[in-house]
mmCIF file of all heavy atoms in Angstrom:
data_model
loop_
_atom_site.group_PDB
_atom_site.id
_atom_site.type_symbol
_atom_site.label_atom_id
_atom_site.label_comp_id
_atom_site.label_asym_id
_atom_site.label_seq_id
_atom_site.Cartn_x
_atom_site.Cartn_y
_atom_site.Cartn_z
ATOM 1 N N ASN A 44 91.503 90.685 105.286
ATOM 2 C CA ASN A 44 91.396 92.015 104.709
ATOM 3 C C ASN A 44 91.037 93.064 105.745
ATOM 4 O O ASN A 44 89.950 93.251 106.221
ATOM 5 C CB ASN A 44 90.284 92.034 103.673
ATOM 6 C CG ASN A 44 90.325 93.338 102.886
ATOM 7 O OD1 ASN A 44 90.886 94.286 103.261
ATOM 8 N ND2 ASN A 44 89.735 93.239 101.700
ATOM 9 N N PRO A 168 103.363 93.727 115.584
ATOM 10 C CA PRO A 168 104.061 94.967 115.252
ATOM 11 C C PRO A 168 103.926 96.109 116.234
ATOM 12 O O PRO A 168 104.832 96.910 116.477
ATOM 13 C CB PRO A 168 103.511 95.360 113.850
ATOM 14 C CG PRO A 168 102.165 94.664 113.804
ATOM 15 C CD PRO A 168 102.409 93.361 114.640
ATOM 16 N N GLN A 174 107.885 99.596 122.229
ATOM 17 C CA GLN A 174 109.096 99.496 122.996
ATOM 18 C C GLN A 174 109.966 100.807 122.727
ATOM 19 O O GLN A 174 110.977 101.014 123.592
ATOM 20 C CB GLN A 174 110.000 98.288 122.493
ATOM 21 C CG GLN A 174 109.293 96.982 122.978
ATOM 22 C CD GLN A 174 110.187 95.780 122.391
ATOM 23 O OE1 GLN A 174 111.378 95.818 122.365
ATOM 24 N NE2 GLN A 174 109.388 94.758 122.066
ATOM 25 N N PRO A 194 91.753 100.056 122.544
ATOM 26 C CA PRO A 194 90.642 99.676 121.861
ATOM 27 C C PRO A 194 90.549 98.185 121.533
ATOM 28 O O PRO A 194 91.557 97.401 121.672
ATOM 29 C CB PRO A 194 90.581 100.461 120.557
ATOM 30 C CG PRO A 194 91.663 101.623 120.814
ATOM 31 C CD PRO A 194 92.699 101.023 121.663
ATOM 32 N N PHE A 196 90.514 95.133 119.212
ATOM 33 C CA PHE A 196 91.157 94.885 117.830
ATOM 34 C C PHE A 196 90.074 94.066 116.982
ATOM 35 O O PHE A 196 89.349 93.293 117.493
ATOM 36 C CB PHE A 196 92.421 93.930 117.977
ATOM 37 C CG PHE A 196 93.166 93.792 116.639
ATOM 38 C CD1 PHE A 196 93.319 94.794 115.817
ATOM 39 C CD2 PHE A 196 93.573 92.527 116.320
ATOM 40 C CE1 PHE A 196 94.034 94.585 114.582
ATOM 41 C CE2 PHE A 196 94.357 92.319 115.255
ATOM 42 C CZ PHE A 196 94.482 93.368 114.381
ATOM 43 N N ALA A 240 84.442 116.148 118.575
ATOM 44 C CA ALA A 240 84.619 116.957 119.815
ATOM 45 C C ALA A 240 85.019 118.382 119.423
ATOM 46 O O ALA A 240 85.127 119.124 120.369
ATOM 47 C CB ALA A 240 85.644 116.380 120.728
#
Side-chain angles (χ1 to χ4, degrees):
N44 190 341
Q174 291 179 37
F196 186 45

